[in-house]
């Protein structure tokens, strides 16, 4: 068993901003010759506006290895190589994924980083796989009080969701059925 020091991202402000010193610790536990990654802090709840909210999240008591680097990056290369390969810049350039999103079969296929580029017509677009076409896709923005429905097109198991964001906004929050699932940064 081991305590792993490393990096986590939990705020939209973390996208594209690597920090120098580890900001979190979690555990690795070896059971039947297999390493299991446990974050009891994130699995116990979350903090919002300086207040702790208890909410059991079983996802963080056996973080899937194929999703590990979406939320956690060990400082020690020994623990990185146990799972795969990722550097700190790439880690911080990813979107912020909610535990709810990671606990589904949903896949974000575009953008491939945490940055959204505006298209010539001013739109931002995300492409998702494994979303039921009946699910409602919205975007929320810091500068707006309410989420706005996306323009959605479907093709097989893929959904393309687009919207023109407010002019000065810097971040977008992708919502599925009115739950925030992914935080992204909008490039100028």
């Amino acid at each position: 068993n081991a305590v792993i020091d490393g990096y986590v991202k939990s705020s939209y402000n973390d996208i594209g901003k690597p920090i120098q010193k580890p900001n979190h610790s979690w555990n690795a536990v070896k059971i039947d010759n297999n390493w299991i990654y446990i974050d009891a802090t994130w699995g116990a709840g979350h903090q919002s506006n300086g207040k702790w909210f208890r909410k059991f999240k079983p996802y963080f008591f056996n973080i899937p290895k194929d999703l590990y680097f979406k939320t956690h990056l060990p400082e020690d290369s020994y623990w990185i190589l146990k799972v795969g390969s990722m550097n700190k810049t790439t880690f911080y350039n990813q979107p912020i994924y909610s535990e709810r999103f990671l606990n589904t079969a949903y896949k974000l296929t575009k953008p491939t980083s945490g940055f959204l580029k505006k298209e010539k017509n001013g739109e931002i677009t995300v492409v998702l796989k494994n979303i039921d076409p009946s699910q409602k896709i919205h975007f929320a923005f810091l500068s707006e009080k309410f989420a706005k429905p996306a323009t959605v097109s479907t093709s097989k198991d893929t959904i393309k969701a687009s919207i023109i964001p407010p002019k000065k906004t810097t971040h977008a929050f992708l919502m599925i059925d009115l739950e925030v699932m992914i935080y992204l940064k909008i490039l100028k």
Side-chain angles (χ1 to χ4, degrees):
N1 300 340
V3 174
I4 301 174
D5 295 319
Y7 307 90
V8 294
K9 305 171 294 159
S10 58
S11 166
Y12 59 84
N13 287 317
D14 294 338
I15 300 170
K17 296 180 182 175
I19 59 174
Q20 297 307 308
K21 294 183 180 177
N23 62 351
H24 194 62
S25 297
W26 58 95
N27 300 95
V29 179
K30 199 170 194 179
I31 299 173
D32 293 331
N33 217 25
N34 292 310
W35 286 103
I36 293 175
Y37 302 96
I38 298 169
D39 189 332
T41 304
W42 280 22
H46 65 276
Q47 186 178 6
S48 180
N49 296 326
K51 186 176 178 183
W52 178 255
F53 294 91
R54 287 177 66 177
K55 183 176 181 188
F56 178 65
K57 299 177 183 176
Y59 174 87
F60 291 109
F61 287 90
N62 186 3
I63 302 169
K65 288 184 180 137
D66 62 325
L67 301 174
Y68 185 64
F69 292 138
K70 294 195 182 305
T71 56
H72 292 72
L73 180 69
E75 180 181 41
D76 186 335
S77 61
Y78 173 82
W79 291 108
I80 293 173
L81 295 173
K82 285 271 184 203
V83 176
S85 179
M86 171 81 53
N87 66 51
K88 195 182 341 175
T89 300
T90 303
F91 176 73
Y92 275 94
N93 284 345
Q94 297 181 101
I96 307 291
Y97 295 93
S98 74
E99 169 261 343
R100 175 132 161 90
F101 182 89
L102 295 172
N103 223 357
T104 68
Y106 304 159
K107 298 285 182 232
L108 176 68
T109 60
K110 179 188 174 190
T112 56
S113 72
F115 302 101
L116 285 168
K117 291 182 185 178
K118 288 185 182 178
E119 297 172 23
K120 288 182 182 179
N121 64 0
E123 281 186 334
I124 55 172
T125 300
V126 298
V127 178
L128 301 157
K129 287 189 142 207
N130 305 324
I131 306 280
D132 185 315
S134 69
Q135 292 181 282
K136 305 294 183 214
I137 310 293
H138 289 75
F139 283 96
F141 304 98
L142 290 177
S143 58
E144 300 289 314
K145 191 171 183 176
F146 299 104
K148 298 182 186 261
T151 302
V152 175
S153 60
T154 60
S155 171
K156 295 183 184 177
D157 66 343
T158 301
I159 287 183
K160 179 181 174 183
S162 302
I163 196 165
I164 296 177
K167 289 197 185 296
K168 294 185 179 181
T169 195
T170 57
H171 293 84
F173 309 100
L174 178 74
M175 303 175 78
I176 300 172
D177 292 336
L178 297 179
E179 285 195 54
V180 176
M181 297 286 184
I182 301 173
Y183 302 83
L184 297 149
K185 186 171 187 173
I186 301 172
L187 299 174
K188 294 181 181 184

